[in-house]
């Protein structure tokens, strides 16, 4: 007679349905893309701590310069956040949205203009693709081409515009060539080199004051409580600007700005 098979000692096998339930209960590790997407959603619901938690789980290969510090400041300040800081955060959140969900067909001509200025006449399509998410390309699409209005309508937190209504006028503000005329605690003063306007730009305590006499290309925007603010830090410009310089046409100023950034990088090297 064949020998009977002995029963194996140890734990009883787990039924398949229990294995599936246990697997479903285990938290799924999100990819960096999923984490960034989740951070965007939470940020635009003003759930800054949750957005910050997602960003802190990113791997080192996915840098998010400035984003973590900005959310951390909002978490620490809480209800004591000044309205102008809320407005600046809203502008930067709009830039992040534009970079993340931007229309490549609309960004492409702007990226091409910057690439031709930055690389030169021999710029290739690959050079233009590399500039699609350039902050100044995104800035041009957001403020010069009106995408910021769409962000305020469709994405921005409900009620945030009532807190800082000046943001409704931001798409009307041009890029400017500014010269710093002095600094005080928390502000820099600028003259418009190509016009007659003057600006008092608010500055965070962690930001370095602009040296007197330095020229920068920047977009000063009306700030709640008076004065102006910058969404993107200004680009340093040395020497006299070429003339005529058209800062109201994005494809024109992006090419000039690309050349300026290249010249500044060559001198620094």
């Amino acid at each position: 007679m064949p020998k009977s098979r002995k029963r194996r000692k140890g734990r009883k096998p787990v039924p398949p349905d229990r294995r599936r339930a246990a697997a479903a209960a285990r938290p799924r590790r999100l990819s960096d893309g999923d984490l960034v997407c989740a951070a965007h959603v939470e940020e635009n619901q003003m759930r800054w701590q949750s957005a910050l938690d997602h960003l802190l789980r990113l791997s080192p290969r996915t840098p998010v310069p400035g984003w973590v510090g900005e959310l951390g400041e909002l978490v620490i300040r809480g209800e004591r956040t000044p309205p102008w800081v809320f407005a600046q955060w809203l502008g930067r959140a709009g830039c992040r949205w534009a970079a993340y969900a931007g229309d490549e067909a609309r960004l492409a001509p702007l990226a091409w203009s910057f690439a031709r200025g930055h690389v030169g006449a021999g710029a290739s399509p690959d050079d233009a693709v590399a500039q699609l998410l350039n902050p100044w390309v995104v800035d041009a699409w957001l403020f010069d081409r009106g995408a910021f209005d769409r962000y305020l309508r469709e994405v921005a937190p409900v009620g945030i515009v009532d807190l800082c209504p000046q943001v409704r006028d931001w798409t009307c503000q041009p890029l400017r060539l500014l010269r710093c005329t002095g600094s005080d605690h928390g502000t820099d003063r600028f003259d418009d080199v190509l016009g007659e306007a003057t600006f008092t730009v608010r500055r965070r305590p962690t930001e370095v004051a602009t040296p007197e006499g330095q020229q920068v290309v920047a977009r000063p925007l009306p700030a709640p409580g008076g004065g102006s603010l910058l969404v993107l830090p200004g680009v340093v410009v040395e020497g006299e600007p070429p003339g005529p310089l058209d800062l109201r046409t994005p494809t024109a100023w992006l090419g000039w700005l690309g050349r300026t950034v290249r010249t500044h990088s060559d001198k620094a090297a």
Side-chain angles (χ1 to χ4, degrees):
M1 290 181 62
K3 295 182 179 180
S4 60
R5 183 177 297 177
K6 294 183 179 181
R7 181 177 297 177
R8 297 177 64 182
K9 295 183 179 180
R11 292 183 300 177
K12 294 181 179 179
V14 180
D17 56 340
R18 288 183 58 186
R19 286 201 301 271
R20 287 193 292 269
R26 285 196 296 268
R28 181 175 66 91
R29 174 162 179 79
L30 298 176
S31 68
D32 281 4
D34 291 334
L35 290 170
V36 170
C37 180
H40 278 291
V41 172
E42 295 299 291
E43 177 179 41
N44 286 301
Q45 295 297 322
M46 295 177 69
R47 293 194 286 262
W48 296 310
Q49 182 63 65
S50 179
L52 185 59
D53 291 341
H54 288 307
L55 295 181
L56 292 176
R57 293 170 59 191
L58 289 173
S59 65
R61 67 176 178 272
T62 305
V64 284
W67 196 0
V68 170
E70 189 173 349
L71 290 178
E73 180 181 353
L74 291 169
V75 168
I76 292 171
R77 286 179 181 264
E79 295 180 354
R80 296 173 299 170
T81 304
W84 78 267
V85 175
F86 269 129
Q88 189 181 56
W89 160 76
L90 189 64
R92 292 176 177 174
C95 287
R96 288 188 280 269
W97 163 80
Y100 179 75
D103 184 343
E104 290 189 6
R106 299 184 185 221
L107 288 170
L110 303 171
W112 182 250
S113 297
F114 189 93
R116 284 181 65 92
H118 188 61
V119 178
S124 68
D126 288 341
D127 295 320
V129 169
Q131 300 297 340
L132 278 174
L133 299 184
N134 181 287
W136 286 104
V137 170
V138 172
D139 176 272
W141 185 62
L142 202 66
F143 297 113
D144 288 315
R145 294 292 170 85
F148 189 66
D149 290 338
R150 176 185 160 198
Y151 170 74
L152 293 179
R153 289 194 310 269
E154 301 177 6
V155 183
V158 176
I160 190 68
V161 177
D162 296 332
L163 182 63
C164 39
Q166 290 81 1
V167 301
R168 294 190 181 98
D169 300 326
W170 281 6
T171 52
C172 302
Q173 308 303 318
L175 202 71
R176 297 180 185 270
L177 180 60
L178 305 173
R179 180 181 291 116
C180 182
T181 59
S183 300
D184 293 321
H185 179 69
T187 61
D188 293 334
R189 297 185 303 277
F190 293 95
D191 284 342
D192 187 346
V193 175
L194 304 178
E196 298 180 354
T198 60
F199 300 91
T200 300
V201 176
R202 294 176 177 268
R203 172 169 38 83
R204 280 185 161 93
T206 55
E207 295 174 331
V208 179
T210 304
E212 186 173 352
Q214 187 173 84
Q215 291 187 156
V216 297
V217 176
R219 191 188 302 274
L221 301 169
S228 303
L229 60 84
L230 302 181
V231 170
L232 290 182
V235 174
V236 176
V237 178
E238 298 177 357
E240 292 300 319
L245 179 58
D246 182 4
L247 291 178
R248 291 183 176 271
T249 304
T251 51
W253 68 253
L254 278 167
W256 173 75
L257 190 61
R259 291 191 296 275
T260 301
V261 171
R262 180 184 62 189
T263 302
H264 189 67
S265 300
D266 291 344
K267 289 182 178 180

